[in-house]
Amino acid sequence: GDSVTQMEGPVTLSEEAFLTINCTYTATGYPSLFWYVQYPGEGLQLLLKATKADDKGSNKGFEATYRKETTSFHLEKGSVQVSDSAVYFCALRDQGGSEKLVFGKGTKLTVNP
Amino acid sequence: DADVTQTPRNRITKTGKRIMLECSQTKGHDRMYWYRQDPGLGLRLIYYSFDVKDINKGEISDGYSVSRQAQAKFSLSLESAIPNQTALYFCATSGGGAWGDTQYFGPGTRLTVL
């Protein structure tokens, strides 16, 4: 079945550092891909998404490009802030009947001032 | 007001008790989902519903049941709670199909079974 693998954390960075969180997927066809963010004590919020190969999703300074050839959707940000501290989940939309989201295990990011 | 709400936000119960978690949405979506989050495991699908008359099992439905009372309401029940059902539970909604594949999540219910 479909699966998502993302880099294990936790990741600790200093403010203004460059962030990369790796995400690769296994799926039949070309599913839509998502990054969700979970701030402490809150639910999941959509951060960005891409629906086809070579699409770039972007939001709040974060970017990710749908790479079909490497089955990857890595999350990047050029300069992180303390407020970016959260857990980040990579996910794909199942193309079967449920249309469920298949999630990676999450990567916890801590940004220190 | 939040588009997807869940009640209660926190619940502590004892083994063997029946409990219900409720989800309401104002987004007008037909598709609703219940997920469970465990530390280090991401989220896993329990049940999903595409409309009031459509209920489907997800990958971890054993020990759970659901009710879709209306388009906007989707409840999850634990018939006889057990400690390994201690987790964070999320409800989500989606327009689905050609109208969008993004799922919108509620704030979660933290359930502890003693």
Side-chain angles (χ1 to χ4, degrees):
Chain A
D2 296 351
S3 66
V4 174
T5 302
Q6 62 181 101
M7 65 183 286
E8 295 191 14
V11 174
T12 302
L13 297 173
S14 298
E15 205 164 26
E16 299 184 4
F18 184 85
L19 169 71
T20 300
I21 301 177
N22 290 335
C23 172
T24 57
Y25 67 90
T26 301
T28 303
Y30 306 107
S32 296
L33 301 175
F34 304 83
W35 278 100
Y36 278 84
V37 59
Q38 184 179 29
Y39 297 104
E42 299 185 12
L44 277 72
Q45 302 175 24
L46 177 67
L47 181 59
L48 54 83
K49 72 175 188 179
T51 57
K52 61 183 187 295
D54 300 324
D55 267 3
K56 177 185 284 188
S58 61
N59 186 26
K60 299 181 181 179
F62 291 89
E63 294 183 339
T65 300
Y66 192 142
R67 300 290 188 194
K68 182 181 65 174
E69 62 276 11
T70 55
T71 61
S72 64
F73 193 54
H74 304 321
L75 182 68
E76 297 182 335
K77 187 175 185 182
S79 177
V80 294
Q81 305 301 311
V82 173
S83 58
D84 293 325
S85 298
V87 180
Y88 293 82
F89 292 93
C90 184
L92 62 80
R93 183 194 188 207
D94 183 75
Q95 295 178 287
S98 72
E99 300 179 359
K100 69 178 181 182
L101 292 176
V102 177
F103 286 88
K105 295 182 178 182
T107 302
K108 183 176 181 180
L109 170 67
T110 301
V111 181
N112 295 318
Chain B
D1 288 339
D3 294 321
V4 184
T5 57
Q6 293 182 234
T7 56
R9 293 294 310 277
N10 288 283
R11 179 74 183 270
I12 300 173
T13 192
K14 295 182 178 179
T15 297
K17 295 292 188 180
R18 183 181 188 276
I19 67 165
M20 178 181 290
L21 310 182
E22 298 184 337
C23 176
S24 296
Q25 53 110 349
T26 59
K27 299 189 75 67
H29 288 164
D30 288 328
R31 288 159 166 76
M32 297 188 74
Y33 301 81
W34 275 104
Y35 291 91
R36 166 179 171 160
Q37 182 183 20
D38 296 281
L41 292 181
L43 280 75
R44 294 176 291 168
L45 182 67
I46 306 172
Y47 269 95
Y48 65 99
S49 169
F50 279 10
D51 65 39
V52 174
K53 296 181 180 179
D54 177 77
I55 302 290
N56 302 279
K57 293 182 177 180
E59 55 191 291
I60 54 165
S61 60
D62 287 349
Y64 301 95
S65 62
V66 292
S67 173
R68 186 81 183 265
Q69 300 96 324
Q71 186 206 34
K73 296 183 182 297
F74 192 37
S75 300
L76 176 72
S77 294
L78 283 68
E79 300 303 323
S80 178
I82 56 177
N84 76 2
Q85 291 178 313
T86 294
L88 191 53
Y89 291 85
F90 287 104
C91 174
T93 75
S94 171
W99 291 273
D101 50 12
T102 299
Q103 291 189 14
Y104 298 87
F105 285 78
T109 295
R110 184 169 296 280
L111 175 66
T112 302
V113 183
L114 301 177

mmCIF file of all heavy atoms in Angstrom, chain A residues 37-43 45 47 60 62 83-88:
data_model
loop_
_atom_site.group_PDB
_atom_site.id
_atom_site.type_symbol
_atom_site.label_atom_id
_atom_site.label_comp_id
_atom_site.label_asym_id
_atom_site.label_seq_id
_atom_site.Cartn_x
_atom_site.Cartn_y
_atom_site.Cartn_z
ATOM 1 N N VAL A 37 1.154 21.022 9.572
ATOM 2 C CA VAL A 37 1.917 21.452 10.740
ATOM 3 C C VAL A 37 1.011 21.378 11.968
ATOM 4 O O VAL A 37 -0.182 21.693 11.888
ATOM 5 C CB VAL A 37 2.500 22.868 10.551
ATOM 6 C CG1 VAL A 37 1.407 23.897 10.289
ATOM 7 C CG2 VAL A 37 3.333 23.278 11.757
ATOM 8 N N GLN A 38 1.585 20.917 13.052
ATOM 9 C CA GLN A 38 0.849 20.813 14.323
ATOM 10 C C GLN A 38 1.609 21.601 15.376
ATOM 11 O O GLN A 38 2.673 21.184 15.834
ATOM 12 C CB GLN A 38 0.706 19.351 14.736
ATOM 13 C CG GLN A 38 -0.130 19.143 15.983
ATOM 14 C CD GLN A 38 -0.275 17.669 16.345
ATOM 15 O OE1 GLN A 38 0.594 16.852 16.060
ATOM 16 N NE2 GLN A 38 -1.392 17.315 16.981
ATOM 17 N N TYR A 39 1.052 22.741 15.761
ATOM 18 C CA TYR A 39 1.647 23.530 16.834
ATOM 19 C C TYR A 39 1.254 22.923 18.177
ATOM 20 O O TYR A 39 0.237 22.235 18.285
ATOM 21 C CB TYR A 39 1.192 24.983 16.738
ATOM 22 C CG TYR A 39 1.642 25.649 15.465
ATOM 23 C CD1 TYR A 39 0.753 25.868 14.415
ATOM 24 C CD2 TYR A 39 2.966 26.038 15.286
ATOM 25 C CE1 TYR A 39 1.166 26.454 13.232
ATOM 26 C CE2 TYR A 39 3.387 26.629 14.112
ATOM 27 C CZ TYR A 39 2.479 26.822 13.087
ATOM 28 O OH TYR A 39 2.913 27.392 11.917
ATOM 29 N N PRO A 40 2.039 23.163 19.199
ATOM 30 C CA PRO A 40 1.786 22.543 20.511
ATOM 31 C C PRO A 40 0.350 22.743 20.973
ATOM 32 O O PRO A 40 -0.163 23.861 20.991
ATOM 33 C CB PRO A 40 2.789 23.259 21.421
ATOM 34 C CG PRO A 40 3.912 23.643 20.506
ATOM 35 C CD PRO A 40 3.261 24.000 19.210
ATOM 36 N N GLY A 41 -0.308 21.636 21.309
ATOM 37 C CA GLY A 41 -1.653 21.697 21.844
ATOM 38 C C GLY A 41 -2.746 21.949 20.829
ATOM 39 O O GLY A 41 -3.900 22.166 21.206
ATOM 40 N N GLU A 42 -2.405 21.942 19.554
ATOM 41 C CA GLU A 42 -3.392 22.246 18.522
ATOM 42 C C GLU A 42 -3.566 21.094 17.549
ATOM 43 O O GLU A 42 -2.829 20.117 17.570
ATOM 44 C CB GLU A 42 -2.974 23.508 17.773
ATOM 45 C CG GLU A 42 -2.878 24.742 18.659
ATOM 46 C CD GLU A 42 -2.577 25.996 17.859
ATOM 47 O OE1 GLU A 42 -2.659 25.964 16.618
ATOM 48 O OE2 GLU A 42 -2.254 27.019 18.496
ATOM 49 N N GLY A 43 -4.560 21.231 16.691
ATOM 50 C CA GLY A 43 -4.777 20.254 15.639
ATOM 51 C C GLY A 43 -3.845 20.491 14.463
ATOM 52 O O GLY A 43 -2.977 21.348 14.505
ATOM 53 N N GLN A 45 -2.804 21.710 10.773
ATOM 54 C CA GLN A 45 -3.159 22.748 9.807
ATOM 55 C C GLN A 45 -2.427 22.473 8.510
ATOM 56 O O GLN A 45 -1.244 22.117 8.529
ATOM 57 C CB GLN A 45 -2.724 24.124 10.320
ATOM 58 C CG GLN A 45 -3.303 24.538 11.642
ATOM 59 C CD GLN A 45 -2.715 25.861 12.112
ATOM 60 O OE1 GLN A 45 -2.242 26.670 11.329
ATOM 61 N NE2 GLN A 45 -2.764 26.091 13.415
ATOM 62 N N LEU A 47 -0.182 23.224 5.642
ATOM 63 C CA LEU A 47 0.873 24.191 5.405
ATOM 64 C C LEU A 47 0.999 24.488 3.908
ATOM 65 O O LEU A 47 1.020 25.636 3.482
ATOM 66 C CB LEU A 47 2.196 23.670 5.955
ATOM 67 C CG LEU A 47 3.408 24.576 5.813
ATOM 68 C CD1 LEU A 47 3.188 25.910 6.512
ATOM 69 C CD2 LEU A 47 4.660 23.885 6.361
ATOM 70 N N LYS A 60 3.951 30.790 3.891
ATOM 71 C CA LYS A 60 4.651 31.297 5.084
ATOM 72 C C LYS A 60 6.164 31.130 4.975
ATOM 73 O O LYS A 60 6.842 30.916 5.976
ATOM 74 C CB LYS A 60 4.152 30.580 6.342
ATOM 75 C CG LYS A 60 2.670 30.781 6.615
ATOM 76 C CD LYS A 60 2.267 30.060 7.900
ATOM 77 C CE LYS A 60 0.795 30.237 8.167
ATOM 78 N NZ LYS A 60 0.359 29.534 9.404
ATOM 79 N N PHE A 62 7.703 28.648 3.601
ATOM 80 C CA PHE A 62 8.008 27.242 3.372
ATOM 81 C C PHE A 62 7.732 26.880 1.909
ATOM 82 O O PHE A 62 6.819 27.419 1.297
ATOM 83 C CB PHE A 62 7.141 26.350 4.271
ATOM 84 C CG PHE A 62 7.462 26.419 5.728
ATOM 85 C CD1 PHE A 62 6.854 27.358 6.552
ATOM 86 C CD2 PHE A 62 8.374 25.544 6.293
ATOM 87 C CE1 PHE A 62 7.146 27.431 7.897
ATOM 88 C CE2 PHE A 62 8.678 25.600 7.651
ATOM 89 C CZ PHE A 62 8.056 26.544 8.453
ATOM 90 N N SER A 83 8.809 30.871 16.140
ATOM 91 C CA SER A 83 7.391 30.542 15.977
ATOM 92 C C SER A 83 7.147 29.368 15.032
ATOM 93 O O SER A 83 6.007 28.874 14.938
ATOM 94 C CB SER A 83 6.627 31.762 15.472
ATOM 95 O OG SER A 83 7.171 32.209 14.249
ATOM 96 N N ASP A 84 8.168 28.906 14.342
ATOM 97 C CA ASP A 84 8.039 27.729 13.466
ATOM 98 C C ASP A 84 8.171 26.421 14.243
ATOM 99 O O ASP A 84 8.005 25.337 13.664
ATOM 100 C CB ASP A 84 9.093 27.760 12.362
ATOM 101 C CG ASP A 84 8.888 28.901 11.386
ATOM 102 O OD1 ASP A 84 7.718 29.245 11.118
ATOM 103 O OD2 ASP A 84 9.903 29.450 10.894
ATOM 104 N N SER A 85 8.491 26.500 15.501
ATOM 105 C CA SER A 85 8.610 25.290 16.320
ATOM 106 C C SER A 85 7.283 24.554 16.350
ATOM 107 O O SER A 85 6.259 25.114 16.751
ATOM 108 C CB SER A 85 9.037 25.658 17.743
ATOM 109 O OG SER A 85 10.304 26.273 17.749
ATOM 110 N N ALA A 86 7.301 23.309 15.911
ATOM 111 C CA ALA A 86 6.066 22.532 15.745
ATOM 112 C C ALA A 86 6.453 21.129 15.276
ATOM 113 O O ALA A 86 7.620 20.822 15.076
ATOM 114 C CB ALA A 86 5.146 23.189 14.724
ATOM 115 N N VAL A 87 5.421 20.308 15.086
ATOM 116 C CA VAL A 87 5.630 19.002 14.455
ATOM 117 C C VAL A 87 5.109 19.082 13.025
ATOM 118 O O VAL A 87 3.993 19.562 12.789
ATOM 119 C CB VAL A 87 4.910 17.878 15.217
ATOM 120 C CG1 VAL A 87 5.153 16.526 14.529
ATOM 121 C CG2 VAL A 87 5.382 17.819 16.662
ATOM 122 N N TYR A 88 5.899 18.624 12.073
ATOM 123 C CA TYR A 88 5.569 18.700 10.659
ATOM 124 C C TYR A 88 5.312 17.291 10.123
ATOM 125 O O TYR A 88 6.107 16.377 10.337
ATOM 126 C CB TYR A 88 6.697 19.372 9.887
ATOM 127 C CG TYR A 88 6.836 20.829 10.254
ATOM 128 C CD1 TYR A 88 7.532 21.209 11.404
ATOM 129 C CD2 TYR A 88 6.245 21.819 9.481
ATOM 130 C CE1 TYR A 88 7.626 22.544 11.772
ATOM 131 C CE2 TYR A 88 6.336 23.158 9.843
ATOM 132 C CZ TYR A 88 7.024 23.507 10.985
ATOM 133 O OH TYR A 88 7.121 24.827 11.344
#
